[in-house]
Amino acid sequence: MKAYDIELILSRQLAECLSIPVFITDTEGNLLFYNEQAEEILGKRYEETGEMPVEEWSTIFKPLDDKGNLLSPEDLPLVQTLNNCLPAHGSFWIKSLVGENHKISVTSFPIMGRGNRFLGATAIFWKIK
Amino acid sequence: MKIRILGTRGSLPSTNPETFRYGGNTACIEVSNDDQFFIIDAGTGVLKLSPELISKQNRFDILLTHLHIDHIQGLGFFKPLFDPRNEIHIWGPSSSSRTLQNRLNRYLSPPLFPVHFRSLPCQKELHEISRSSFELCGLQVETAYVSHPGPTVGYRITDGDFVFTYIPDHEPFLGNRGWNYGKKWISGMGLAYKADLIIHDSQYTLEEYPDKIGWGHSSIEQAIRYAGIAEAKKLLLFHHDPNHTDSQLDYILRSYSGFTPEGLEIEHAVEGSVYNLR
Ligand SMILES: [Zn+2]
Ligand SMILES: [Zn+2]
């Protein structure tokens, strides 16, 4: 049996204590965990979905710019972080599963563990409107 | 594989006669396979290593879980360090900032210790480990970082079908969260899973733990729950608090009889005791 690295386990424990939406992915972008505040944005419950492959959860959002144009994946902070292991930030609109439009800001950063090992990424969503 | 417990006490050695039966020396474990051995942690228990065993080899492997003083206090008094014919291999957790040598130097140098680490006459080799896997004395050794202040690893040692797990300093669930997350979300569970023998931190009683949250140690109740989730066969409660006397430890263990997970055997670790896994 292989357990997650302690850096991911502690990230999850921190996310559970925060009152802002937090998503945690592995290095491929598969969603390992999202907290209760993130459940509201996603329109899903972690208890029900568990971990989600990148193909599944990335299609839940439709990220749009201010003019309503669909954004390409490369424009999204979390995708940039996963591609270059650097922090990223951006603002855009999303339509959640329940059909509501939200303007959000996203800050993402890589989880660089001890020995500089790249273990995944954390994305924090800030609801603006 | 044979496991001999040379030190069981946590934090500080105890010379109190009332702690004699379970032992007053700090963490040190001798692991042997046929006629070879290595030790894990170098607390004051390292002085109990038999001179006869030491005289049989010239290579000594010392595996450290972390560099808190109760796990390295005996290192400077390990006699083979002072013989130029000896090859000493020290394995310890890698840190993000300082090398293992640099961190060991802090203790093995004046004013804390009279001799500089670099001046020790033996041949020294340091091995930085993280999530690592290597072979030693014909045994498979796996390591991973676990939840404890500062870089700290636990060990899983496999001899054929038999597994020995050693996580002496460990607070797997800060503030008691997360027992239901599933095994792979639990610190060190990859090391502990289905161990035949697990030595695990159990420094505090249930009543003491609330005042010690975040200090990096487990309550006895947490250690039992942890070994139960890991589906381990035998748990040795370890890192005895220096304030807990033998009779208190007896009383504590009795109070858990009837509350133990099915299939799990529980004992307090006793200095000098030996376990054969085969
Ligand atoms: Zn300790
Ligand atoms: Zn410690």
Side-chain angles (χ1 to χ4, degrees):
Chain A
M1 202 219 57
K2 210 171 170 199
Y4 287 124
D5 284 290
I6 191 66
E7 293 88 339
L8 290 173
I9 293 174
L10 293 176
S11 296
R12 172 178 175 165
Q13 292 205 20
L14 175 63
E16 297 228 12
C17 307
L18 298 179
S19 56
I20 41 174
V22 179
F23 296 80
I24 298 168
T25 76
D26 65 12
T27 55
E28 308 291 318
N30 299 307
L31 186 57
L32 299 182
F33 178 72
Y34 52 99
N35 65 1
E36 252 177 65
Q37 287 70 20
E39 288 177 347
E40 260 179 58
I41 289 183
L42 211 55
K44 285 178 179 277
R45 297 201 47 196
Y46 182 72
E47 253 173 45
E48 287 156 12
T49 65
E51 298 171 16
M52 277 196 270
V54 61
E55 308 80 37
E56 192 183 329
W57 84 283
S58 60
T59 54
I60 292 176
F61 300 112
K62 276 211 165 62
L64 307 168
D65 66 13
D66 283 338
K67 291 176 187 148
N69 303 314
L70 199 63
L71 291 169
S72 70
E74 291 71 37
D75 293 326
L76 302 174
L78 183 59
V79 175
Q80 291 166 9
T81 292
L82 289 168
N83 286 342
N84 58 21
C85 295
L86 291 171
H89 182 83
S91 299
F92 48 88
W93 290 84
I94 52 165
K95 190 177 244 168
S96 75
L97 260 201
V98 285
E100 285 172 27
N101 277 327
H102 301 286
K103 175 103 190 241
I104 56 161
S105 270
V106 176
T107 304
S108 60
F109 60 88
I111 301 174
M112 304 302 296
R114 289 199 179 103
N116 249 348
R117 290 172 314 142
F118 175 45
L119 302 170
T122 298
I124 301 170
F125 284 41
W126 313 83
K127 225 191 251 185
I128 300 175
K129 277 179 195 166
Chain B
M1 154 170 60
K2 190 164 87 181
I3 293 117
R4 186 188 302 274
I5 299 173
L6 303 172
T8 59
R9 200 58 53 176
S11 310
L12 196 68
S14 167
T15 52
N16 181 348
E18 290 178 4
T19 58
F20 181 77
R21 191 155 40 86
Y22 288 116
N25 280 302
T26 63
C28 184
I29 307 289
E30 170 197 319
V31 179
S32 53
N33 185 28
D34 296 329
D35 53 355
Q36 295 176 293
F37 79 94
F38 57 84
I39 61 168
I40 321 183
D41 278 337
T44 60
V46 78
L47 293 177
K48 300 207 80 173
L49 207 57
S50 102
E52 196 196 336
L53 196 65
I54 290 175
S55 67
K56 280 185 186 156
Q57 59 191 60
N58 287 106
R59 173 182 166 139
F60 298 90
D61 288 273
I62 302 167
L63 283 57
L64 301 174
T65 53
H66 62 311
L67 274 65
H68 284 162
I69 196 79
D70 49 328
H71 298 256
I72 59 168
Q73 198 175 358
L75 190 59
F77 302 88
F78 186 51
K79 284 207 182 101
L81 292 176
F82 297 90
D83 186 335
R85 291 169 301 178
N86 288 334
E87 208 181 292
I88 308 283
H89 293 255
I90 299 177
W91 308 69
S94 173
S95 135
S96 305
S97 46
R98 291 172 182 273
T99 63
L100 182 58
Q101 163 126 29
N102 200 300
R103 286 173 288 143
L104 279 172
N105 281 347
R106 286 183 177 179
Y107 164 51
L108 291 171
S109 63
L112 294 180
F113 193 73
V115 188
H116 271 285
F117 181 65
R118 61 168 183 275
S119 313
L120 291 167
C122 62
Q123 303 155 55
K124 300 170 282 293
E125 197 165 324
L126 297 177
H127 306 263
E128 305 227 357
I129 50 182
S130 52
R131 189 175 201 140
S132 309
S133 181
F134 51 95
E135 205 187 296
L136 215 53
C137 303
L139 303 171
Q140 193 57 40
V141 182
E142 280 168 72
T143 68
Y145 289 116
V146 295
S147 176
H148 186 67
T152 304
V153 294
Y155 289 93
R156 179 183 178 92
I157 298 160
T158 307
D159 180 12
D161 292 336
F162 295 96
V163 173
F164 164 52
T165 300
Y166 178 70
I167 317 179
D169 292 44
H170 194 204
E171 186 174 16
F173 301 106
L174 290 173
N176 231 352
R177 296 178 77 98
W179 290 103
N180 317 318
Y181 292 173
K183 288 184 172 64
K184 62 184 175 179
W185 284 104
I186 300 179
S187 166
M189 198 45 77
L191 304 172
Y193 186 58
K194 287 197 185 284
D196 294 279
L197 180 70
I198 174 169
I199 290 183
H200 193 278
D201 189 345
S202 63
Q203 178 144 358
Y204 305 123
T205 62
L206 193 59
E207 294 73 32
E208 289 165 340
Y209 181 70
D211 290 334
K212 319 278 186 180
I213 291 170
W215 290 28
H217 298 289
S218 293
S219 67
I220 291 168
E221 187 244 1
Q222 288 175 334
I224 293 173
R225 239 156 128 184
Y226 187 83
I229 293 171
E231 300 170 50
K233 287 202 183 118
K234 188 176 200 134
L235 165 67
L236 292 187
L237 299 166
F238 192 77
H239 211 269
H240 306 313
D241 191 282
N243 295 309
H244 290 167
T245 63
D246 293 336
S247 51
Q248 280 173 317
L249 288 178
D250 288 337
Y251 173 78
I252 290 164
L253 191 57
R254 271 201 306 275
S255 69
Y256 282 100
S257 64
F259 295 98
T260 57
E262 220 183 282
L264 178 68
E265 220 182 302
I266 304 169
E267 290 171 14
H268 281 304
V270 179
E271 189 174 309
S273 57
V274 178
Y275 296 85
N276 277 297
L277 295 188
R278 56 187 45 154

